Amino acid sequence: MKENYCLQAALVCLSMLCHSQAFALERRSHLHPSFHGHQERGKEGQVLQRSKRGWVWNQFFVIEEYTGPDPVLVGRLHSDLDTGDGKIKYILSGEGAGTIFVIDDKSGNIHATKTLDREEKAQYTLMAQAVDRETNRPLEPASSFIVKVQDINDNPPEFLHEIYYANVPERSNVGTSVIQVTASDADDPTYGNSAKLVYSILEGQPYFSVEAQTGIIRTALPNMDREAKEEYHVVIQAKDMGGHMGGLSGTTKVMITLTDVNDNPPKFPQSVYQMSVSEAAVPGEEVGRMKAKDPDIGENGLVTYNIVDGDGMELFEITTDYETQEGVVKLKKPVDFETKRAYSLKVEAANVHFDPKFISNGPFKDTVTVKIAVEDVDEPPMFLAPSYIHEVQENAAPGTVVGRVHAKDPDAANSPIRYSIDRHTDLDRFFTINLEDGFIKTTKPLDREETAWLNISVFAAEIHNRHQEAKVPVAIRVLDVNDNAPKFAAPYEGFICESDQTKPLSNQPIVTISADDKDDTANGPRFIFSLPPEIIHNPNFTVRDNRDNTAGVYARRGGFSRQKQDLYLLPIVISDGGIPPMSSTNTLTIKVCGCDMNGVLLSCNAEAYILNAGLSTGALIAILACIVILLVIVVLFVTLRRQKKEPLIVFEEEDVRENIITYDDEGGGEEDTEAFDIATLQNPDGINGFIPRKDIKPEYQYMPRPGLRPAPNSVDVDDFINTRIQEADNDPTAPPYDSIQIYGYEGRGSVAGSLSSLESATTDSDLDYDYLQNWGPRFKKLADLYGSKDTFDDDS
């Protein structure tokens, strides 16, 4: 710091010396008078003089950051017209005039009164003028000049960033460019070496270096390994004055990270992996995991696994879990402990991506041996077939063997097997099974026509472990036996027209019949139709077999008459094609009917009706429509009558007092809670006229006596109630419809008076309720509430 101050003082002195020499030279070159006389003869012999400037301005300099005790002399202004008698006045104007720069108006000396900073402002433009002190008349034209602030080294270098971040691949060659750092200096680069910067490295050797002139950071060591050290802290310095002593400096930090390259192959941490799998495991189940370690990161550390050899290549597979970079061994096919108890695999781990620059380092893969042991499991029995199909004839005797199921224990222990039928599949218990050998037998005869197939399930369980069991479906087909005779396919009925004896017979059958057989097709069709042997020569009808499981019934004669016989019953024998065949006799009903000329049936009754008794359809519809209309009219009439029905009690207008439903009178004491109907008080204005009730029809009109009525709008409830009681007692139409139920009013002469609090709020009088103590237990609560007022007052 002391050296900097000395340097600044020397520069100041040097600058002032230069200025004084320049000023002296200037003065020496302008010692001529302010106005040079150049005489010219003009008109009329007048001598003219041309004025000439008496000074020539040079550029002034002032050093920045000067902190001396006296103002700095910048320079001096002097006119050739100035003779030193003080008649000339120098005036300074422009940038900083009067504040930064001041002038002695007599001598013309210019001083800087403030410390100047070149980085803030590098130069100032000023105006100078010489005027007559007394008249202020300009003696010289105003001229401008520049005062330049001369730079000193007062600003240290500054980097663009406080911290730089850079990356460089590991294993890079020496001299690989990492990053360029740049610093700037606010000093004048055109003056001296104040802004000439030199870069150097303070921290980070011997791994990195920096170019002194450019600031480019380069690697300095070969084969830097990211796996050994990933980040480096480097400090770079920039120093001005060309790096010489006395220069200012600045520093920055550079964080350099080595990026990964694939320079490491994957390696298994062990040479053999031991795994195990249960023989009960299903395909796809995980057996075990392994991991080859690769110190590289990102895609350079990706590893893939493959099975390259071994006796379990067909039973096992391996996949790669890219999240954990593990090889996952899975079961591909089921294994059997009793067949083979151990397997061996050779697994290879290899990088997914390769860097050709490091391929010479060797193969980027590794192999390991995986030994897998099969664990024995107590397996359930196994049936020799996934399902069974057996057959049995219907109607077979109980105990008939249907078939056999067979299971065995796959374990080496070969535990004995016990069989059972799932009774949920054999609710009717048609079958039973032998516990030891698995033979299935019938328990009752079976009917194919009822159920052709029966499906059951059979369990096989180990005798020593009942929880280990297997289940197999067994389908039992019931074989058909010809045990059902054929019958008519439908309830057939034939019709034949009565005719003359001479009328020729028709070749059309009376009816065509077919048969139905519940047995299978092997024991059913073809059907044979015939007449019973005893009536094979029936004189009336015959049967012709069509040989297509149908037959036609024909008439052998004509002249059928309903008067003689209107119904014929013809037995027909139907035989099936089973072995042995079965047959049945079915009766066909043939009716003799009356027909028209075209053979269309008219009537099959015993008597012929010539006239049709009855009405046509149109007449019936018209009658029904009339009945419906009459019913609608009746319903409308009844509805209108109901709507016009008057209420039982007529009120002239709605009274607000009808909202009161019950009234608990006080005459009977607190326990008397019965109420009376207030309906009789709802219309006091109607007392002048008698309003009879509407729920009965009186035999004669009762006229009340005028003397019994209270005055209109009377407020005397006692008189009103007494009047109503007399009217009710004397009215023959009222009982038992009197609406007044209870009258507990004691009248005006009651010693109790009124206990109501309705008017208590309007009076300030103090009432004495001590007499309530003598009224008995019924009024005890009232006596406690009102009769002890004085006692309360005394207590208070």
Side-chain angles (χ1 to χ4, degrees), residues 474-548:
V474 179
I476 300 174
R477 180 184 179 185
V478 182
L479 301 178
D480 184 50
V481 174
N482 192 19
D483 57 346
N484 291 279
K487 297 180 180 180
F488 276 156
Y492 293 106
E493 190 175 16
F495 302 92
I496 187 171
C497 296
E498 60 180 349
S499 61
D500 298 334
Q501 187 72 26
T502 59
K503 189 175 180 178
L505 294 175
S506 174
N507 293 327
Q508 297 295 327
I510 298 174
V511 63
T512 299
I513 59 177
S514 63
D516 186 17
D517 195 333
K518 294 182 179 180
D519 293 324
D520 197 4
T521 54
N523 294 316
R526 115 166 166 80
F527 299 122
I528 299 174
F529 302 87
S530 63
L531 293 177
E534 59 271 16
I535 60 169
I536 192 158
H537 299 293
N538 188 296
N540 299 319
F541 304 99
T542 185
V543 176
R544 298 178 187 175
D545 195 334
N546 297 327
R547 298 183 180 275
D548 59 356

Side-chain angles (χ1 to χ4, degrees), residues 324-352:
T324 61
Q325 290 298 302
E326 293 178 317
V328 183
V329 180
K330 295 182 179 180
L331 185 65
K332 190 176 180 180
K333 295 180 180 179
V335 292
D336 187 10
F337 175 82
E338 288 72 27
T339 303
K340 188 175 177 62
R341 301 186 178 185
Y343 297 90
S344 179
L345 300 174
K346 187 177 183 181
V347 177
E348 178 185 81
N351 281 133
V352 178

Side-chain angles (χ1 to χ4, degrees), residues 420-452:
S420 62
I421 296 177
D422 184 1
R423 290 305 174 185
H424 293 92
T425 61
D426 186 24
L427 297 177
D428 295 326
R429 295 184 178 271
F430 287 119
F431 306 99
T432 184
I433 189 170
N434 190 289
L435 297 178
E436 297 179 355
D437 55 19
F439 279 99
I440 301 174
K441 298 180 181 180
T442 61
T443 60
K444 60 181 71 174
L446 304 177
D447 187 1
R448 189 204 69 86
E449 287 72 37
E450 182 177 346
T451 304

Side-chain angles (χ1 to χ4, degrees), residues 135 426-427 733 794:
T135 63
D426 186 24
L427 297 177
T733 64
D794 295 337

Side-chain angles (χ1 to χ4, degrees), residues 95 101 169 344 352 362 405 644:
E95 295 178 337
F101 302 101
S344 179
V352 178
V405 296
K644 292 181 179 181

Side-chain angles (χ1 to χ4, degrees), residues 657-671:
R657 287 173 291 178
E658 67 183 1
N659 294 327
I660 301 175
I661 305 301
T662 60
Y663 181 79
D664 294 337
D665 60 278
E666 300 173 350
E670 288 184 346
E671 297 180 1

Side-chain angles (χ1 to χ4, degrees), residues 17 72 118-119 165 214 278 324 374 453 521 533 553 623 695:
L17 179 61
V72 179
R118 189 201 67 84
E119 286 72 36
Y165 295 92
T214 62
S278 172
T324 61
V374 181
W453 285 89
T521 54
V553 179
I623 293 172
D695 53 352

